[in-house]
């Protein structure tokens, strides 16, 4: 049996995040609201599912798929669906955090922070972040002199698992442990709810993988992020 996180996008958008799926999603293929994110997925590798995926990809260009490495789904896309690239990822999980870490003051971000959140994510590029990605939160952040300088939040939710995502720090404020402290805070809340926390990181970013390893995360699987053409 496949692990629930092998198909995290499909499992999230057909259960706990189904309210974020586009109205034209179907039992065969789902696409998250483009204002919220880029992800889409199909039920399986059958011709009907792939055709439904193709229809959604044409209607909502610029989507992305995250599938476990070696999955045939992302490699058998319908004709006419262009692929910009296939990016190797690692999926990491934590059932407990390592001890330590600085204590910092942070706040829960609100709708009023939306422009600052998008600006920070656009500057630092922690991963796909859109104008309404914040709705997948809650997100928390650190401000200095009224400016948002670091944040972290949640993204995909699968039964028993919630994803840590959107972790970023303004370049002028790195080296202060803000990303680690915010990651610990979000992860601790997820763990306290009885769930396992997971995340995705670029497979060639050794420093990022080591950073999350120092917090208690371990690599669970290798994934492929397929970026579709606009």
């Amino acid at each position: 049996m496949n692990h629930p996180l092998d198909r995290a996008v499909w499992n999230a958008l057909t259960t706990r995040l189904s309210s974020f799926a586009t109205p034209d999603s179907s039992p065969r293929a789902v696409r998250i609201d483009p204002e919220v994110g880029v992800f889409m997925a199909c039920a399986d590798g059958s011709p009907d599912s792939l055709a439904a995926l193709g229809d959604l990809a044409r209607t909502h260009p610029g989507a992305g798929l995250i599938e476990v490495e070696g999955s045939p789904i992302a490699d058998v896309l319908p004709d006419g669906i262009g692929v910009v690239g296939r990016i190797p990822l690692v999926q990491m999980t934590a059932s407990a955090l390592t001890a330590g870490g600085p204590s910092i003051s942070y706040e829960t971000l609100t709708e009023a922070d939306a422009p600052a959140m998008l600006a920070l994510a656009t500057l630092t590029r922690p991963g796909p972040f859109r104008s309404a990605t914040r709705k997948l939160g809650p997100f928390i952040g650190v401000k200095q002199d009224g400016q948002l300088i670091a944040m972290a939040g949640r993204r995909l939710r699968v039964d028993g698992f919630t994803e840590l995502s959107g972790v970023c720090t303004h370049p002028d404020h790195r080296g202060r442990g803000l990303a680690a402290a915010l990651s610990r805070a979000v992860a601790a809340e997820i763990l306290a709810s009885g769930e396992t926390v997971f995340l995705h990181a670029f497979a060639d970013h050794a420093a990022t993988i080591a950073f999350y390893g120092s917090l208690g995360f371990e690599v669970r699987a290798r994934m492929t992020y397929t970026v579709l053409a606009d």
Side-chain angles (χ1 to χ4, degrees):
M1 178 179 292
N2 291 338
H3 191 283
L5 295 184
D6 285 350
R7 308 214 61 222
V9 173
W10 173 259
N11 290 330
L13 290 177
T14 55
T15 58
R16 296 171 67 187
L17 297 186
S18 60
S19 63
F20 291 100
T22 58
D24 54 352
S25 293
S26 71
R28 286 291 183 183
V30 291
R31 168 56 153 110
I32 197 168
D33 179 344
E35 296 300 312
V36 176
V38 302
F39 297 129
M40 64 186 308
C42 57
D44 50 43
S46 69
D48 286 347
S49 294
L50 291 172
L53 185 78
D55 290 342
L56 282 179
R58 294 183 188 94
T59 303
H60 308 285
L65 298 84
I66 294 182
E67 299 287 346
V68 69
E69 188 176 72
S71 168
I73 292 176
D75 293 329
V76 194
L77 295 172
D79 291 339
I81 304 301
V83 174
V84 174
R86 290 187 169 90
I87 303 170
L89 305 176
V90 292
Q91 186 182 79
M92 306 180 74
T93 60
S95 55
L97 296 175
T98 56
S103 176
I104 64 169
S105 296
Y106 60 84
E107 60 187 83
T108 299
L109 302 178
T110 69
E111 181 74 18
D113 298 304
M117 295 171 69
L118 181 60
L120 181 60
T122 301
L123 174 67
T124 58
R125 303 178 67 181
F129 197 96
R130 297 295 181 263
S131 61
T133 299
R134 66 187 183 281
K135 295 181 179 179
L136 297 173
F139 278 77
I140 58 175
V142 176
K143 296 178 183 177
Q144 182 169 305
D145 299 325
Q147 178 190 16
L148 180 66
I149 62 171
M151 68 176 183
R154 297 161 173 80
R155 186 169 61 183
L156 297 177
R157 288 177 169 84
V158 177
D159 287 347
F161 303 88
T162 292
E163 183 184 23
L164 167 67
S165 186
V167 180
C168 53
T169 303
H170 191 285
D172 293 343
H173 299 278
R174 289 174 180 164
R176 296 166 50 183
L178 300 179
L182 292 176
S183 295
R184 283 182 178 278
V186 173
E189 289 185 357
I190 294 170
L191 294 172
S193 74
E195 297 190 337
T196 296
V197 59
F198 73 103
L199 59 85
H200 293 98
F202 294 115
D204 62 351
H205 287 195
T208 301
I209 295 170
F211 164 73
Y212 285 115
S214 72
L215 302 183
F217 287 84
E218 297 180 345
V219 174
R220 190 200 74 83
R222 292 184 62 88
M223 313 293 287
T224 300
Y225 175 33
T226 302
V227 183
L228 304 184
D230 289 336

